C-alpha cells in the first residue's frame, strides 16, 4: 500500500490536535470559477469569514503531488495566478497525486480529500449538477454521486440556472442525498434566492443540520448532505435579469461545441463578462454567507463530539 501524501498546514495541524471545528474549502472555484485577482481576494475573505465565525478554514488543493489541507497565503496566490491548472474531480484525483502533479479540487474531489483529513463540513458557492440537454449529452456532474457516497455536509447556494435544476433535484433524490434548504422552503438558484422549486427538506438552524449529519452516520448510511443556503437578499440578481444572460451563454457554448469539463468554466466566464462583473459580486457575497453557515455547523458538530 502507498500512503496518502497528506500535507496539513500548521494552522490545521493545531486545529486537529485541539479538536477545533474545521471547514473545508475547494480550489476549483479559485482556478476555474473566478478571474484573477478577485479569485485570490475572495479566497482570503472566505478564510477570514470562517475564522471570524469560530472555525478554521482548510482550503484544499493538490500541489506537486501532495494533498494540501490548508494553504498558506503564498500558496493561494500562486494557485490563483497559475495558468492551465488541472481541474480534478473524483476521476482525476489519484492519477494527479500519483504523478506528482498539481490541480484544483472540485466539490467531488474536495469532499474526498476532506473525508481523508477527517473534516465533516465544506463550504462552496454552487455545486455541479445535471446540465441542460443531459438527455443527449449525459453531462451530469460527479458532484451529485459524491454527495451520495462521501460523508461530508456541503453548504452551497443551490445550483446555477446554467443547469437543469429539476433534473438535478431528481438525481439527488435518486441518489438518496438529503437536500436541505436553509430557512426557506424553496431550493435556491445561486444568484437568485428561489429556483421556483421546493427543496425536499428545510432546516432553520445549524444545530438541526449537525444533528441530521450525525444521525445519517448512526444509521450507517454513506454519503453527505447538501445544504442550500440562499444568497443574501441585498446581493441577489433576480431570475428575470439573470435568465437571459444564462440563455445567451448557453447558446454560445453550444455554438462553439464546448463539452465535458470545459462547460462549467466557460459558462461562468461568459456570464461574468455579460453581466459586467455583477455575477461575480453576487458570487462573492454568497460564498461568504455559506462560509458563515458552514462554520456554525462545524462548531455544532465539534460540540457534539
Ligand atoms: N459551479 C459554480 N462555481 C464553480 C463550480 C461549479 O457555480 O466554481 C465548480 C465546482 O468546483 C464544481 C465544479 O464542483 O465546477 C463542477 O464541474 P463539473 O460540472 O464539470 O462537474
Ligand atoms: Mn460535466
Amino acid at each position: 500500500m502507498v500512503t496518502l501524501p497528506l500535507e496539513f498546514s500548521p494552522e490545521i495541524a493545531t486545529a486537529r490536535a485541539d479538536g477545533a471545528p474545521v471547514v473545508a474549502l475547494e480550489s476549483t472555484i479559485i482556478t476555474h470559477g473566478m478571474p484573477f485577482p478577485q479569485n485570490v481576494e475572495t479566497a482570503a475573505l472566505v478564510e477570514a469569514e470562517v475564522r471570524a465565525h469560530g472555525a478554521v478554514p482548510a482550503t484544499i488543493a493538490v500541489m506537486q503531488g501532495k494533498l494540501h489541507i490548508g494553504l498558506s497565503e503564498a500558496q493561494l496566490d500562486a494557485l490563483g495566478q497559475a495558468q492551465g491548472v488541472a481541474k480534478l474531480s473524483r476521476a482525476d484525483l489519484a492519477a494527479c497525486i500519483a504523478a506528482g502533479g498539481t490541480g484544483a479540487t472540485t466539490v467531488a474531489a474536495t469532499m474526498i480529500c476532506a473525508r481523508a483529513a477527517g473534516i465533516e463540513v465544506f463550504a462552496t458557492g454552487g455545486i455541479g449538477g445535471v446540465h441542460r440537454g443531459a438527455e443527449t449529452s449525459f453531462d451530469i456532474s460527479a458532484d451529485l454521486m459524491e454527495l451520495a457516497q462521501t460523508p461530508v455536509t456541503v453548504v452551497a447556494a443551490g445550483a446555477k440556472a446554467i443547469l437543469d435544476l429539476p433534473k438535478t433535484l431528481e438525481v439527488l433524490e435518486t441518489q438518496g442525498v438529503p437536500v436541505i434548504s436553509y430557512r426557506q422552503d424553496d431550493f435556491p438558484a445561486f444568484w437568485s434566492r428561489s429556483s421556483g422549486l421546493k427543496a425536499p427538506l428545510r432546516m432553520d438552524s445549524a444545530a438541526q443540520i449537525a444533528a441530521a449529519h450525525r444521525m445519517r452516520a448512526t444509521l450507517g448510511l454513506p454519503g453527505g448532505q447538501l445544504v442550500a443556503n440562499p444568497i443574501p437578499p441585498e446581493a441577489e440578481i433576480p431570475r428575470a435579469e439573470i435568465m437571459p444572460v444564462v440563455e445567451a451563454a448557453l447558446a454560445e457554448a453550444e455554438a462553439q461545441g464546448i463539452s465535458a469539463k470545459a462547460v462549467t468554466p466557460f459558462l461562468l466566464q461568459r456570464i461574468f463578462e455579460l453581466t459586467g462583473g455583477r455575477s461575480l459580486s453576487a458570487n462573492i457575497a454568497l460564498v461568504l454567507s455559506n462560509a458563515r453557515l458552514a462554520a456554525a455547523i462545524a462548531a455544532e458538530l465539534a460540540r457534539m463530539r
Side-chain angles (χ1 to χ4, degrees), residues 131 139-141 260-261:
H131 282 266
D139 189 347
I140 302 175
S141 175
K261 290 162 75 116

Side-chain angles (χ1 to χ4, degrees), residues 26-30 32-34 87-89 104-110 122 124-129 131 139-143 158-160 162-163 190-191 260-265 268 283 286:
E26 63 155 311
S27 43
T28 295
I29 190 172
I30 301 171
H32 293 72
M34 292 185 185
K87 172 178 161 185
L88 307 177
S89 191
T105 51
T106 62
V107 168
T110 304
F122 162 23
T124 186
I127 59 157
H131 282 266
D139 189 347
I140 302 175
S141 175
D143 292 353
K160 287 205 167 88
I162 59 176
L163 301 169
F190 201 79
W191 300 290
K261 290 162 75 116
V263 173
T264 300
L268 297 182
N283 200 341
L286 67 84

Side-chain angles (χ1 to χ4, degrees), residues 55-114:
V56 182
T59 302
I60 293 178
V62 178
M63 296 171 98
Q64 282 100 46
K66 297 258 189 303
L67 177 44
H68 285 266
I69 311 293
L71 300 184
S72 68
E73 219 175 290
Q75 286 171 326
L76 267 181
D77 199 63
L79 194 68
Q81 296 200 50
Q83 298 294 312
V85 178
K87 172 178 161 185
L88 307 177
S89 191
R90 165 172 275 262
D92 322 285
L93 188 60
C96 181
I97 297 171
T102 294
T105 51
T106 62
V107 168
T110 304
M111 289 178 73
I112 294 168
C113 300

